[in-house]
Amino acid sequence: MLTTKGWLGLGCILLGLFWIYYTYIFMRNPKRTTPKGNNIVAPANGKINAIVRTKKSDQTINKGILGKILLQTGDVAKDCYYINIVMTPLNIHYQRVPYDGTVLYVKHTKGKFLNAVSGASSLNATLENEHTETLIKTKLGKIKVVQIAGFLCRRIFPFVKKGQKIKKGQDLGIIKLGSQVTLVIPAKLKLKVKEGETMVDGETIIATVK
């Protein structure tokens, strides 16, 4: 049995380990070598769990076991790909600009319980995760980066604003305790990645011109 001093000591050790993790792993933001040219780079560090082509103007994206977001894709193009990049606690949690352009809007949606719909079969149908959508006008067409936070841990900090000119590879924002980033691009572009591949933020080429 641990004594009071033993519990305090254990608590200090755990707190120290958490501080090391948070400071040197979670909050790290290494320099990246961003490729030049007409290519779109990964906005996030993690693994692709879905690549979907859609012609719907609105799309529901499930976020893990609990939660989802309601994503608008029609403001990017009539025919789009959306690419989900899932992060673990060991991944970089800063996001980067996929391509040079001008920010058309930054729209933040708070996490919330949605009205339950008739026939809903799970709690997932009534949850919406906090997320921030950044729409960017580029010479390759409009693209969108969606930062998605966990349902309970909701902290998204965008670094860009409407009307700002941005460069490929620069910091776009950070999700503290977040776990997914969705990239929406026009289907006219040529994909260079597949489901299951690991992305390096600011470096891995997602798509190029055909």
Side-chain angles (χ1 to χ4, degrees), residues 84-180:
N84 292 340
I85 303 173
V86 176
M87 298 178 289
T88 72
L90 298 178
N91 288 122
I92 306 298
H93 276 65
Y94 282 86
Q95 287 74 55
R96 299 181 189 271
V97 174
Y99 194 78
D100 299 351
T102 302
V103 178
L104 296 180
Y105 69 65
V106 179
K107 181 169 66 177
H108 180 76
T109 301
K110 292 183 178 180
K112 59 187 178 182
F113 281 93
L114 301 176
N115 292 328
V117 295
S118 177
S121 59
S122 68
L123 181 62
N124 184 50
T126 65
L127 301 181
E128 183 174 11
N129 292 77
E130 177 183 359
H131 56 282
T132 296
E133 300 176 52
T134 302
L135 184 66
I136 306 166
K137 181 180 179 181
T138 80
K139 68 178 184 180
L140 303 183
K142 295 176 183 176
I143 60 176
K144 180 183 286 189
V145 179
V146 187
Q147 299 161 282
I148 308 171
F151 181 69
L152 296 177
C153 304
R154 296 174 274 171
R155 301 191 69 180
I156 300 175
F157 298 92
F159 299 156
V160 300
K161 59 184 179 180
K162 181 180 178 179
Q164 182 178 342
K165 293 188 181 299
I166 53 180
K167 292 292 185 180
K168 180 169 60 172
Q170 82 175 69
D171 288 346
L172 179 76
I174 185 173
I175 313 172
K176 293 188 177 180
L177 300 178
S179 56
Q180 185 169 307

Side-chain angles (χ1 to χ4, degrees), residues 5-20:
K5 289 184 178 180
W7 282 112
L8 287 174
L10 179 60
C12 289
I13 291 172
L14 293 175
L15 185 61
L17 290 174
F18 176 78
W19 180 83
I20 292 171

Side-chain angles (χ1 to χ4, degrees), residues 54-60 70-82 104-105 107 133 135 141-144 146 184-186:
T54 180
K55 295 183 180 180
K56 297 180 180 179
S57 59
D58 295 295
Q59 192 78 37
T60 298
L70 305 176
L71 174 65
Q72 183 181 2
T73 59
D75 54 358
V76 174
K78 291 182 179 180
D79 189 5
C80 297
Y81 288 110
Y82 72 81
L104 296 180
Y105 69 65
K107 181 169 66 177
E133 300 176 52
L135 184 66
K142 295 176 183 176
I143 60 176
K144 180 183 286 189
V146 187
V184 186
I185 61 174

Side-chain angles (χ1 to χ4, degrees), residues 28 30-35 40-48 85-87 91-92 94-98 168-169 193 197-206:
R28 71 197 190 281
K31 291 183 179 180
R32 300 299 195 198
T33 302
T34 301
I40 291 176
V41 297
N45 181 226
K47 183 176 289 187
I48 294 177
I85 303 173
V86 176
M87 298 178 289
N91 288 122
I92 306 298
Y94 282 86
Q95 287 74 55
R96 299 181 189 271
V97 174
K168 180 169 60 172
V193 293
E197 292 185 352
T198 298
M199 301 294 99
V200 178
D201 52 296
E203 290 190 356
T204 303
I205 295 175
I206 292 275

